[in-house]
Amino acid sequence: MDYDFKKIEKKWQEYWAANHTFQVTEDESRPKYYVLDMFPYPSGAGLHVGHPLGYIASDIYSRYKRLCGFNVLHPMGYDAFGLPAEQYAIQTGQHPAVTTAKNIARYREQLDRIGFSFDWSREVRTCDPAYYKWTQWAFLKMFGSYYDNDRQSARPISELVEAFEKNGTEGVNAACSEELSFTAGQWKAMSEKEKSDALMNWRIAYQGVTSVNWCPKLGTVLANDEVKEGYSVRGGYPVEQKKMTQWQLRVSAYAGRLLDDLEDLEWTDSLKDMQRNWIGRSQGAEIVFKALNGDQEYDITIFTTRADTVFGVTFMVLAPESDWVEKLTAPEQKAAVEEYLAMAKKKTERERIAETRKVTGVFTGSYAVNPLTGDKVPVWISEYVLAGYGTGAIMAVPAHDSRDYAFARTFDLPIIPLIEGCDVSESSFDAKDGIMCNSGFLNGMTVKEAIPAAIEYVEKNGLGHRKINYRLRDAIFSRQRYWGEPFPVYFKDGIATPMPEDKLPLQLPEVDKYLPTESGEPPLGRAADWTYEGWPIEKSTMPGFAGSSAYYLRYMDPHNDEALVSEKADRYWRNVDLYVGGTEHATGHLIYSRFWNKFLYDLGYVCEKEPFRKLINQGMIQGRSNFVYRIINTNTFVSCGLKDQYETTEIHVDVNIVHNDRLDIDAFRKWMPDYADADFILENGEYICGYAIEKMSKSMFNVVNPDMICDTYGADTLRLYEMFLGPVEQSKPWDTKGIDGVNRFLKRFWRLFYDRDGFIVTDGKATPAELKTLHKLIAKEKADIEAFSYNTTVSAFMIAVNELYEQKCNKREILEPLVILLSPFAPHICEELWEALGHRESIAFASFPEYNEAYTVEDTCTYAVSFNGKTRFTVDLSKSMDKDAVEAEVRADSRTAKYVGTASIVKVIVVPGKIVNIVIK
RNA sequence: GCGGAUGUGGCGAAAUGGUAGACGCGCCACUUUGAGGGGGUGGUGGGAGUUUUCCUGUGCGAGUUCGAGUCUCGCCAUCCGCACCA
């Protein structure tokens, strides 16, 4: 009987669906384990072989954990709101919900063929009103909260209002957009509208004017992580800076906690570093400089990490967008400043990046007073100072900052070195190293001593205060698009008012077109009656990351209409134990999701402060393109090895009609009408194609569809092969070379159970050699799976099966545990064999075999011995020898050898595979 | 510029500090079958001897160690992330 994977895979996929094999419920009697994949955006192109890599890895882990007795939550869903469906809708007029549903159906079909153990009863779709009800709910909670810096926690905004009524802003320490101060009396005197505007300064979800990334082509704003080098990540359109009123999330309030809590996560160092970088903590001080414009005095606050260099300040610089620019521009410089500002404004973000390091600037005509020296220094304006970081103004220390140095050189400003013996004739001395000089009371200190000393001095004398600055900005939360979650907010007399919770979800209205209105409003402006109790409803929608920020919580309790997640379900499933997905979400989703979770944690809705305990980043699968070589002006194609003898053009050929770089000539003739009567110059009777590693894309004809592999080799082969290709975390090209080897292994595995006449498993007693093979494999698989080293596990299976095959082992005692071991990797074939072995229940309910060391230890060990690593001989030692004693002796002797220096060194190899040293005199 | 990762055969890749190249692909030889993108056996880093073997070998250069692909330092190369962040 042959291994008929088509029949087997269809049979078991239907069985799992019909029997709800992978459906789970909270079961207090078993420990939980939560394995999550980053849910996909269902694009129109369907899955290619790269997509399932992470899903297969996590599926193997889920199935393994289940065999080990865990109650495993392993759900899947769709991140279904997003730009592509909307762009498609604009072009075709088809409702995004329709195309999205179609794409989801296609995804599901493809996923089902690979045999995943998802609990589909928990599927979520972010565009489903029953789902986005809870996205909107979370937004309302954020709108109704502020961040208390003293308690380091989100609190209801009502508490803040109470405080204002009692003492105004006095004693309030809360995260805000700008420092405001008013008394209780002033607060009470405010109109409702004024109060509402004031509270926006503290709300966690708030509306405010900010400089945004505006993409004219897409007609919407984008978050920082949605923009790369001045172009939109989705679509690649140019992006410009624009000041607009937008909904924002006060993510910056959580910067400290987002940074600190990284410590306890089992994420890779590189990913943690990316987040640290993005959060960008820097410790320093804010120092106030008095500046004079004519008779008017202004305070300029600057941020610095190098308070020790204040004595070297020779000028100050403002960002062009800074509010101080207008105040400090002297009448005689007005024309020059305006010209400079106009020039700076005209430049796009893109141009600024391109012109990095080109020094530009203009003098304001004003001077500021150095608070430590009393010296007057000029105030300049330059693009190299960013409005969005720190205070938008800096003190310039050209001797010890390379940017200030370049500026000083360009505009011929003085440079005062502050460190003994440093050379600033060619470049600045940026290192925080050396002894201070020219620095008053700091003279003689090292830089490391001077920094805290300077800050202390500044604080004592009321010139400023210590400060920690973060690069992380608040997230811009509105998008001028149709296909997203509507904001449950309406404007009553112009005051942003939350809708009552029991009116959620606020469903997306129907519109005639998906384009902005003629007056430039977002598409929701087209909705016929987009009002609540007669008041207009917010017209922008939420960004993509809104729906994906808390989906892992919703899986815990997906059908709950009363809460995002019930307390019971949350207490049981807690958080994700293993999260698998791509690195591309390092600074987007993975930051927002952590923020969202912490916010819900502060309000007591979830019990864990971090959403994802362990995270694995699967590598990208690149495409492997194939080429044919056409001789110029002919329809004759020459094989790769002979192409240099002709003048040829290289043409991409569909990799699906090429096998191991050999072209299927008949298929090629049928592939495109132009090639129907193509001629070929062959080598050794075959047409060999060239190849290159490129991105997997339609235009290069190198997209390999998993359905194709499932048709030719079966899902189990696909799963094993994707794991066998190399470490999960590594990027690698897809190359079908070698898939035959894995397929051969499965056939051979099958032949342990069946020969051409039928089932051959017997109840005979296993030999020590057979038991050894089995138990070696158990030990290996346990260790490897825990370490996500799946490629070596697959190798171990191949070795084991080869050994058993050689021993002609067809004994139940060995084969039954073997099937369980392989089942996480190749579930279909294992279910089939499990059934053939007489089991009625799915193999998913089996238990992982126990490892017994006794079977793997040898009676006698052969030791290979070499003198000084040269001449070798072998010694046999009995296993009864006390290994620990041997090792202790070995170590002692090694020390002797080291001190005496004359002993010969002997290598001893201990089977299996262990090597220790001993010394023979 | 800053940060992270990686570097081993023709290829994908293995190696708790202990026989480097497991396993697979490809290739070579033999074998089985009427035939196969079939089954099996043996070989396969390089260089000598060709049965017993020896030399050399993990990007380059040092170091620690009885012993380094593995640990430390310095280069070189590739990939990824951030980038005027004061």
Side-chain angles (χ1 to χ4, degrees):
Chain A
M1 259 180 74
D2 282 340
Y3 165 44
D4 183 353
F5 61 83
K6 278 198 179 147
K7 211 174 101 195
I8 292 170
E9 287 175 3
K10 187 161 176 287
K11 170 179 163 187
W12 289 102
Q13 284 163 11
E14 282 167 5
Y15 175 93
W16 294 328
N19 291 279
H20 309 289
T21 306
F22 303 110
Q23 206 163 314
V24 286
T25 51
E26 291 85 76
D27 175 358
E28 298 292 345
S29 70
R30 281 189 299 160
K32 70 96 186 186
Y33 202 89
Y34 187 175
V35 180
L36 182 66
D37 294 291
M38 290 187 186
F39 61 170
Y41 174 80
S43 84
L47 291 172
H48 65 62
V49 288
H51 296 117
L53 181 76
Y55 303 157
I56 294 170
S58 64
D59 193 58
I60 289 168
Y61 203 78
S62 305
R63 287 173 180 270
Y64 165 75
K65 278 286 177 187
R66 203 170 271 134
L67 292 174
C68 292
F70 288 87
N71 189 27
V72 177
L73 176 57
H74 186 38
M76 183 46 90
Y78 305 95
D79 185 15
F81 273 134
L83 271 179
E86 181 161 349
Q87 293 294 80
Y88 189 74
I90 290 170
Q91 286 158 20
T92 63
Q94 202 168 15
H95 197 288
V98 175
T99 45
T100 302
K102 216 170 84 190
N103 291 346
I104 286 176
R106 169 96 182 98
Y107 263 63
R108 177 64 191 274
E109 209 177 291
Q110 286 188 296
L111 289 171
D112 280 347
R113 287 206 63 183
I114 304 171
F116 293 119
S117 61
F118 295 129
D119 178 356
W120 282 108
S121 74
R122 292 174 182 260
E123 180 195 304
V124 300
R125 301 176 183 196
T126 55
C127 65
D128 178 354
Y131 178 90
Y132 68 64
K133 171 178 176 177
W134 298 105
T135 312
Q136 293 174 332
W137 170 83
F139 169 81
L140 287 184
K141 290 291 167 205
M142 290 180 196
F143 181 79
S145 303
Y146 77 105
Y147 195 82
D148 185 326
N149 283 334
D150 291 333
R151 298 162 82 164
Q152 279 295 306
S153 173
R155 304 296 307 170
I157 195 91
S158 55
E159 289 183 10
L160 190 67
V161 173
E162 241 169 75
F164 288 164
E165 276 167 1
K166 245 186 231 154
N167 300 313
T169 50
E170 184 69 35
V172 168
N173 179 14
C176 57
S177 307
E178 57 177 317
E179 300 289 343
L180 295 181
S181 68
F182 45 75
T183 62
Q186 285 170 320
W187 168 258
K188 284 176 191 152
M190 286 184 195
S191 68
E192 283 305 306
K193 171 78 173 128
E194 282 167 337
K195 280 183 181 169
S196 158
D197 288 349
L199 284 177
M200 284 295 183
N201 193 46
W202 285 277
R203 290 183 192 276
I204 289 182
Y206 66 98
Q207 226 178 0
V209 179
T210 181
S211 183
V212 298
N213 304 303
W214 173 255
C215 181
K217 189 86 188 181
L218 293 172
T220 188
V221 302
L222 298 169
N224 284 341
D225 66 281
E226 292 169 318
V227 181
K228 216 170 174 181
E229 289 171 4
Y231 290 97
S232 65
V233 172
R234 282 252 160 97
Y237 303 115
V239 172
E240 58 191 47
Q241 296 299 301
K242 199 173 167 183
K243 285 218 167 177
M244 291 176 82
T245 301
Q246 298 290 331
W247 285 100
Q248 295 169 64
L249 300 185
R250 207 174 296 284
V251 180
S252 59
Y254 283 81
R257 283 164 68 192
L258 287 170
L259 188 74
D260 295 342
D261 291 345
L262 276 175
E263 294 299 326
D264 302 325
L265 298 177
E266 287 176 61
W267 295 13
T268 59
D269 288 342
S270 67
L271 197 73
K272 283 187 187 180
D273 258 5
M274 268 190 231
Q275 291 219 337
R276 286 192 193 107
N277 232 308
W278 192 258
I279 296 166
R281 178 192 150 105
S282 49
Q283 198 166 358
E286 279 188 352
I287 302 176
V288 180
F289 283 62
K290 301 268 180 217
L292 278 173
N293 182 14
D295 301 336
Q296 277 288 339
E297 191 182 274
Y298 299 97
D299 283 353
I300 310 179
T301 307
I302 58 93
F303 175 75
T304 181
T305 54
R306 293 291 303 271
D308 57 310
T309 61
V310 178
F311 287 92
V313 174
T314 56
F315 58 99
M316 304 200 52
V317 189
L318 306 175
E321 300 85 359
S322 166
D323 293 339
W324 284 304
V325 166
E326 202 193 316
K327 293 171 183 158
L328 291 176
T329 301
E332 67 275 15
Q333 283 296 98
K334 203 169 161 78
V337 168
E338 273 171 8
E339 190 188 339
Y340 183 77
L341 293 185
M343 188 274 295
K345 202 173 176 182
K346 221 170 59 197
K347 279 192 199 171
T348 63
E349 180 84 347
R350 178 84 196 139
E351 283 164 336
R352 277 211 193 183
I353 290 165
E355 291 172 20
T356 293
R357 313 242 170 242
K358 196 168 140 190
V359 180
T360 66
V362 66
F363 178 43
T364 59
S366 307
Y367 291 85
V369 179
N370 185 325
L372 264 66
T373 63
D375 292 344
K376 270 176 78 179
V377 295
V379 179
W380 286 68
I381 299 166
S382 176
E383 285 182 298
Y384 86 87
V385 175
L386 305 176
Y389 184 77
T391 61
I394 61 153
M395 63 176 207
V397 186
H400 301 290
D401 182 287
S402 54
R403 294 152 302 178
D404 298 344
Y405 186 89
F407 196 82
R409 281 279 182 236
T410 308
F411 295 102
D412 207 20
L413 295 157
I415 298 168
I416 308 173
L418 302 173
I419 291 173
E420 280 177 17
C422 71
D423 175 19
V424 294
S425 58
E426 291 296 325
S427 65
S428 61
F429 183 84
D430 292 9
K432 291 181 190 173
D433 192 27
I435 308 290
M436 305 296 298
C437 63
N438 298 332
S439 297
F441 68 95
L442 297 173
N443 284 342
M445 292 184 192
T446 64
V447 172
K448 287 191 178 74
E449 293 161 353
I451 295 175
I455 294 177
E456 202 167 306
Y457 180 91
V458 163
E459 277 198 323
K460 257 193 193 142
N461 292 278
L463 307 170
H465 55 96
R466 65 190 65 232
K467 164 108 185 172
I468 292 167
N469 231 331
Y470 293 98
R471 202 183 76 105
L472 185 71
R473 321 268 178 91
D474 289 347
I476 294 163
F477 201 59
S478 25
R479 298 290 182 273
Q480 289 65 40
R481 307 294 298 188
Y482 174 75
W483 193 229
E485 300 87 348
F487 283 81
V489 171
Y490 61 100
F491 295 90
K492 187 177 178 181
D493 291 324
I495 296 170
T497 313
M499 282 186 181
E501 272 180 37
D502 60 14
K503 291 283 189 275
L504 298 183
L506 170 64
Q507 297 214 25
L508 259 181
E510 293 301 321
V511 292
D512 56 342
K513 276 186 211 159
Y514 305 99
L515 288 168
T517 64
E518 280 68 26
S519 56
E521 280 186 328
L524 289 190
R526 294 176 178 275
D529 184 28
W530 194 233
T531 58
Y532 179 75
E533 291 182 345
W535 303 104
I537 301 176
E538 168 66 42
K539 291 187 184 69
S540 53
T541 54
M542 298 186 196
F545 69 81
S548 58
S549 287
Y551 76 114
Y552 60 92
L553 291 170
R554 193 60 183 161
Y555 281 135
M556 296 176 185
D557 196 5
H559 308 297
N560 191 338
D561 200 37
E562 303 298 315
L564 167 65
V565 51
S566 71
E567 196 181 323
K568 178 170 171 273
D570 180 61
R571 291 273 141 139
Y572 183 74
W573 297 111
R574 307 194 74 85
N575 58 5
V576 176
D577 294 286
L578 174 69
Y579 197 23
V580 180
T583 350
E584 65 271 22
H585 299 107
T587 51
H589 163 62
L590 287 174
I591 292 264
Y592 299 129
S593 218
R594 293 182 61 217
F595 154 76
W596 205 282
N597 186 85
K598 283 181 189 304
F599 171 75
L600 295 175
Y601 172 80
D602 285 352
L603 267 54
Y605 291 109
V606 303
C607 61
E608 288 283 351
K609 59 181 184 175
E610 281 290 334
F612 315 118
R613 283 214 47 69
K614 186 179 172 87
L615 191 140
I616 297 283
N617 290 120
Q618 92 273 24
M620 291 244 282
I621 300 261
Q622 294 140 304
R624 188 177 188 280
S625 314
N626 274 115
F627 301 107
V628 291
Y629 303 91
R630 180 162 64 183
I631 300 172
I632 287 184
N633 297 328
T634 68
N635 206 10
T636 300
F637 295 83
V638 57
S639 185
C640 182
L642 307 169
K643 71 174 194 295
D644 294 342
Q645 299 166 25
Y646 303 88
E647 215 181 308
T648 59
T649 41
E650 192 177 73
I651 298 170
H652 275 97
V653 59
D654 190 341
V655 293
N656 294 301
I657 57 170
V658 177
H659 304 282
N660 291 343
D661 288 339
R662 282 157 184 79
L663 182 69
D664 180 337
I665 288 173
D666 290 336
F668 182 72
R669 288 201 173 107
K670 280 181 213 144
W671 182 44
M672 283 192 187
D674 286 1
Y675 304 144
D677 49 0
D679 290 323
F680 299 90
I681 298 173
L682 307 177
E683 46 187 322
N684 305 324
E686 288 177 319
Y687 189 96
I688 311 290
C689 298
Y691 72 91
I693 306 303
E694 296 171 303
K695 209 185 140 194
M696 207 172 261
S697 100
K698 266 185 181 168
S699 62
M700 308 202 190
F701 300 108
N702 62 3
V703 176
V704 183
N705 186 312
D707 299 344
M708 261 275 311
I709 305 289
C710 287
D711 283 339
T712 347
Y713 296 98
D716 286 336
T717 300
L718 172 72
R719 292 170 62 108
L720 275 169
Y721 185 58
E722 291 223 9
M723 293 303 103
F724 185 64
L725 220 46
V728 179
E729 295 96 326
Q730 215 164 84
S731 284
K732 57 229 153 192
W734 177 261
D735 186 352
T736 334
K737 254 191 341 201
I739 197 166
D740 292 316
V742 171
N743 192 238
R744 229 167 263 161
F745 156 73
L746 280 180
K747 286 187 199 158
R748 184 177 277 211
F749 179 65
W750 180 262
R751 287 205 304 274
L752 289 174
F753 297 81
Y754 286 98
D755 66 10
R756 32 170 52 179
D757 302 320
F759 198 60
I760 54 168
V761 176
T762 67
D763 288 329
K765 187 134 179 60
T767 65
E770 291 161 353
L771 284 166
K772 185 181 162 192
T773 298
L774 175 67
H775 286 270
K776 252 168 46 188
L777 182 62
I778 295 171
K780 176 84 177 154
E781 178 166 343
K782 262 201 144 108
D784 280 359
I785 291 188
E786 296 287 352
F788 297 93
S789 179
Y790 294 118
N791 54 334
T792 53
T793 322
V794 178
S795 294
F797 274 118
M798 291 180 172
I799 295 167
V801 167
N802 280 343
E803 282 176 13
L804 294 175
Y805 200 75
E806 235 164 75
Q807 294 162 28
K808 303 213 183 329
C809 170
N810 49 11
K811 293 162 189 153
R812 173 180 297 269
E813 191 182 347
I814 300 295
L815 296 185
E816 205 163 88
L818 193 68
V819 180
I820 300 173
L821 289 175
L822 187 63
S823 67
F825 291 82
H828 309 86
I829 189 174
C830 291
E831 286 277 20
E832 181 71 15
L833 294 170
W834 188 246
E835 189 187 53
L837 286 164
H839 297 276
R840 295 258 166 255
E841 213 175 28
S842 162
I843 198 167
F845 299 104
S847 298
F848 198 81
E850 294 282 332
Y851 170 63
N852 188 341
E853 198 188 1
Y855 294 124
T856 61
V857 176
E858 306 256 325
D859 277 345
T860 58
C861 311
T862 306
Y863 295 78
V865 179
S866 64
F867 287 97
N868 292 331
K870 302 232 173 178
T871 327
R872 287 186 201 144
F873 60 92
T874 60
V875 205
D876 287 342
L877 294 175
S878 116
K879 127 186 175 190
S880 56
M881 220 171 129
D882 184 347
K883 259 196 209 153
D884 291 339
V886 173
E887 283 195 43
E889 201 179 316
V890 166
R891 288 202 198 96
D893 283 358
S894 303
R895 265 201 301 279
T896 315
K898 187 177 171 188
Y899 294 124
V900 176
T902 53
S904 298
I905 308 308
V906 181
K907 270 190 182 176
V908 179
I909 303 165
V910 182
V911 178
K914 279 197 176 175
I915 298 175
V916 292
N917 285 310
I918 62 168
V919 177
I920 293 178
K921 303 247 165 109

